[in-house]
Amino acid sequence: METIKNFFRRFTQTTPFVLANTLVIVPYLLFIHLIHSSIAMTAMPFVLFYTFRVTGIFLIRGLHRSIDQYTLLMVALLIGGFGAFLTLLGTIYFSSYLFGSILLGLSAAWLPAANTSVNFYEQTQGFRSMTSKGYLYALVVLAPLGFGLTASLPVQMVVVPSMITLYYICAYHTVKHYPHYEMDFKELPKHVFSIPELIWFVLFFSALFLLRSGRLLFNEKLVDGSIILFASIFILAIVVIHQVKDRWKLPLWQNALTFLNGMIGNFIFLFGAFYIAVYKGSAAQGLYLFLPYVLATISALLVAGKLRKKAKNPLIFQLFGLMIGLLLLSIRSIFPLAIFILTFFQKSTSSWLNRLYYQTDSIPEQQRITAKYSTSNKGSITHQFILMFLLGATLWEKELPIRDLFLLKNLHTQAIFGTMDLVKFATIVLLLAGIYIVGRMGKDAFNH
């Protein structure tokens, strides 16, 4: 009996880590299966989740000025748990998927940053929420979720939301008993939004929503409008950056690496999901994408830090690993292995950047990790638009109908295979160029 109690205690303790590291990809893979080319509404859960997940970070930049990260973490767990439950109800009432996807998207945007901040603080107080053995327990916790993602669609739409709901309940119970925090909602309603961050949220949300909904609702005018809007936002961002760059509190290479790492993360799960769907079918995404992604995430947390400490230059170590992962990704036959290696170094880079940001005294403590996630998500958003542009341009160059852009996961022709490979190679070249630029920016950062 004691052994069983210890197992369930360990199970519960790993759930905040599991949610923080899988919420980016699991609802994405779940909602993508709902999309039906002849029923426009089936695309909305995917659109809403992805858009709120990527842009919700800009709301945090306003929220964290008035509430502490622990309260934000608890809010993320509460709304995420309710969102997962509504997603489960979506098998009965489709409209529940819409509300569930919004809440899961916000939770996915807020939970990783808040959880990282809380874990760093707890470590400074001598309490570790996760140990090396805990990461191994996390694999056991993830096993039923992995099974659910490889199951047939009706089973998947029940098993996956059920498991996520259970994880949220366990995570809430775990975090509530952290020794150095108390929940405090009394400041939540005061000064909730920061106007500059709210503006960025509205702009990016509008552009992404138009792009994702236009792409999935098969409306080329919406896609064109979103690209024009994003181009305008990009020009505005350049002007703003030029005006404030002298006030930046971080090295340029660190900001650039955070932005680039966000682009690579988006490349892994967004392009990877459609690449696997085209070549192997949507049912293979759990095995060929989710499994290597999870194994790489846990492996990175177990050993990447030790490897980085042995390297003479940690920046070169991270960039070299990212470069190797991208080069391997060009070989189709080893795609899952390449995903594993690229994810390993992408997660390793993210973890290293978390520590660098948290140790930056010039940024207020409550804002450090969310500043990192904000920059990273801007990279994700930028890659999203670059990817759509490359797909559209490649289809046009091959004289294929642009409508195919909306139906990729259902197409398995040689022409589409060639399109996906061309886009993959072009993206790899672009990201390798980014790695070179970051390396040049930070060439003297660790000479001492």
Side-chain angles (χ1 to χ4, degrees), residues 401-413:
I402 298 297
R403 182 180 175 83
D404 285 353
L405 178 64
F406 308 122
L407 304 170
L408 281 176
K409 78 184 188 77
N410 299 316
L411 300 177
H412 309 285
T413 65

Side-chain angles (χ1 to χ4, degrees), residues 193-204:
F193 297 113
S194 164
I195 296 302
E197 297 299 336
L198 183 58
I199 291 173
W200 283 117
F201 169 77
V202 171
L203 289 174
F204 280 126

Side-chain angles (χ1 to χ4, degrees), residues 155-404:
V155 176
Q156 184 174 154
M157 301 310 295
V158 173
V159 172
V160 174
S162 298
M163 293 308 304
I164 295 177
T165 303
L166 175 62
Y167 293 164
Y168 268 112
I169 294 171
C170 293
Y172 183 87
H173 173 79
T174 297
V175 175
K176 191 176 180 181
H177 290 84
Y178 279 1
H180 300 104
Y181 274 110
E182 290 184 4
M183 205 165 24
D184 183 9
F185 290 111
K186 65 179 182 294
E187 295 296 326
L188 186 59
K190 301 178 182 179
H191 312 295
V192 170
F193 297 113
S194 164
I195 296 302
E197 297 299 336
L198 183 58
I199 291 173
W200 283 117
F201 169 77
V202 171
L203 289 174
F204 280 126
F205 181 91
S206 301
L208 260 185
F209 184 82
L210 286 174
L211 181 68
R212 299 309 307 182
S213 58
R215 180 179 178 276
L216 295 171
L217 299 177
F218 324 118
N219 190 323
E220 295 180 24
K221 290 183 179 180
L222 288 182
V223 174
D224 293 340
S226 70
I227 292 174
I228 293 172
L229 178 57
F230 181 76
S232 303
I233 297 172
F234 193 75
I235 294 171
L236 175 63
I238 292 175
V239 173
V240 172
I241 288 172
H242 180 73
Q243 291 179 344
V244 304
K245 65 180 181 180
D246 294 334
R247 303 199 301 271
W248 280 0
K249 301 171 183 178
L250 295 168
L252 183 58
W253 69 264
Q254 188 172 328
N255 275 303
L257 178 60
T258 307
F259 186 89
L260 177 67
N261 207 51
M263 292 183 70
I264 293 174
N266 198 68
F267 179 52
I268 290 170
F269 77 85
L270 181 61
F271 180 78
F274 279 98
Y275 193 81
I276 293 297
V278 166
Y279 275 99
K280 299 290 184 179
S282 297
Q285 290 170 335
L287 180 62
Y288 285 85
L289 183 62
F290 178 73
L291 182 59
Y293 177 89
V294 166
L295 292 176
T297 298
I298 293 177
S299 298
L301 292 170
L302 284 172
V303 302
K306 298 175 183 177
L307 295 175
R308 188 168 53 245
K309 288 179 181 178
K310 294 181 179 180
K312 292 182 180 179
N313 187 319
L315 176 60
I316 297 302
F317 170 79
Q318 296 297 159
L319 293 177
F320 181 76
L322 292 172
M323 180 186 71
I324 294 299
L326 288 169
L327 290 174
L328 290 176
L329 208 58
S330 63
I331 306 173
R332 187 192 306 167
S333 59
I334 60 170
F335 191 84
L337 175 63
I339 286 291
F340 174 88
I341 294 174
L342 185 58
T343 301
F344 177 91
F345 284 100
Q346 194 272 337
K347 289 295 183 180
S348 171
T349 302
S350 181
S351 179
W352 181 51
L353 287 169
N354 284 341
R355 188 162 295 279
L356 291 179
Y357 274 83
Y358 192 77
Q359 293 172 347
T360 303
D361 294 332
S362 58
I363 302 177
E365 185 175 345
Q366 293 282 25
Q367 300 179 22
R368 294 171 188 171
I369 300 301
T370 45
K372 179 260 185 181
Y373 276 88
S374 176
T375 302
S376 178
N377 275 25
K378 288 173 184 175
S380 296
I381 293 169
T382 300
H383 174 264
Q384 164 72 21
F385 280 85
I386 291 174
L387 180 62
M388 291 302 105
F389 171 79
L390 288 174
L391 283 169
T394 306
L395 290 170
W396 177 80
E397 189 272 335
K398 286 180 168 290
E399 298 183 349
L400 294 169
I402 298 297
R403 182 180 175 83
D404 285 353

